[in-house]
Amino acid sequence: MFLDNQMANNFDLFFSRVLRDEGTAYEDVPGDNGGPTRCGLTIADIARWNGVKCPKRGQAGWDDLVEKVRAITPQTAAPIYKRFYWDEVRADELPSGLDYAVVDYGTNSGTLKAVKTLGGLVGVQGNKVTDEMITAIGRYGSIVDLVTHFQDSRRAYLEQISEIPHNMKFRKGWLDRERRVRAVAKNLAEKAQEASASVVQVTPPKAVDPSDIPSPPAPSKVTTAA
């Protein structure tokens, strides 16, 4: 495991899969607005983690940040993902399956987009996952259905932005990733739903009020012959 047990829920599953989707090599893909990345973390993520403003390419401080991006490992990436993505959407408080779907969307398209999509589905608008939103998720009904609708919204958005000329080369990768995330998230939600349904609700015995206990019959009189 990458993190302590206290920090683990579906985080380890999410993190292992995001590394599989993003890869662990250093990349600086032309046309990718994220700039240099490693383990899926952008140079802006690393600037934020180090408490500095991310400069524009070529400006002072850029090269230093690039070297920090190059130095990222899966072990150093884990706490960054935990704070900036998992905790940002309060994933430990989301149902299993939905947590993974929301966080992965957040890493791919930004947590703001992921939260607004979730809020729109449950009828609670906002830029952050709030207590009200979490309550609304609980009232939604089937979490499997919510995961499906969430992924449908994500796919529609990806299809839309992949029509932009400079995004076309990313279309296949984006949509393939959405399919993989959908399958895993639905499976997690289905397992959680089945486990919940299998829990037998045992009604504890009603406490007995002493006044409800009938009095024993009076003893009969016995006559002894002289």
Side-chain angles (χ1 to χ4, degrees):
M1 292 176 60
F2 292 99
L3 296 174
D4 297 337
N5 286 335
Q6 294 97 319
M7 302 176 80
N9 180 6
N10 281 335
F11 176 81
D12 286 336
L13 178 145
F14 151 73
F15 184 60
S16 65
R17 295 195 66 86
V18 83
L19 289 184
R20 192 181 312 173
D21 285 329
E22 297 285 358
T24 58
Y26 172 84
E27 293 182 317
D28 190 1
V29 180
D32 187 344
N33 294 331
T37 66
R38 188 163 193 184
C39 294
L41 294 172
T42 68
I43 193 168
D45 288 324
I46 302 311
R48 183 183 171 198
W49 184 253
N50 285 274
V52 299
K53 183 178 180 180
C54 187
K56 292 183 179 179
R57 189 184 294 269
Q59 291 183 340
W62 177 266
D63 290 342
D64 289 341
L65 280 174
V66 168
E67 290 309 307
K68 285 183 170 60
V69 173
R70 290 184 185 277
I72 294 170
T73 65
Q75 286 69 32
T76 59
I80 302 175
Y81 271 107
K82 181 67 167 55
R83 183 187 299 179
F84 290 168
Y85 294 98
W86 189 265
D87 291 345
E88 183 70 16
V89 300
R90 296 173 64 174
D92 281 331
E93 300 173 69
L94 299 179
S96 183
L98 184 64
D99 52 1
Y100 172 49
V102 173
V103 178
D104 192 82
Y105 194 8
T107 63
N108 202 201
S109 301
T111 55
L112 180 61
K113 181 65 180 175
V115 170
K116 284 188 171 183
T117 298
L118 178 61
L121 289 170
V122 300
V124 179
Q125 297 297 334
N127 298 336
K128 296 284 186 181
V129 175
T130 61
D131 291 345
E132 182 184 6
M133 192 179 293
I134 291 173
T135 299
I137 290 167
R139 292 197 303 261
Y140 191 85
S142 169
I143 298 301
V144 177
D145 289 345
L146 181 53
V147 167
T148 298
H149 298 155
F150 183 83
Q151 289 300 122
D152 288 346
S153 296
R154 177 179 183 177
R155 189 169 190 84
Y157 172 70
L158 293 175
E159 288 175 339
Q160 177 186 357
I161 65 172
S162 64
E163 294 299 322
I164 301 171
H166 68 266
N167 282 339
M168 288 181 177
K169 60 185 173 183
F170 302 118
R171 179 184 176 90
K172 185 178 185 303
W174 285 345
L175 296 182
D176 285 349
R177 177 170 175 171
E178 185 282 319
R179 276 192 289 269
R180 291 192 296 271
V181 172
R182 179 189 295 259
V184 173
K186 284 187 68 176
N187 181 257
L188 288 170
E190 286 168 354
K191 286 183 177 178
Q193 189 167 280
E194 289 169 3
S196 177
S198 67
V199 174
V200 178
Q201 298 295 329
V202 178
T203 303
K206 181 182 178 181
V208 178
D209 186 334
S211 64
D212 292 337
I213 302 175
S215 300
S220 58
K221 293 182 179 180
V222 177
T223 303
T224 305

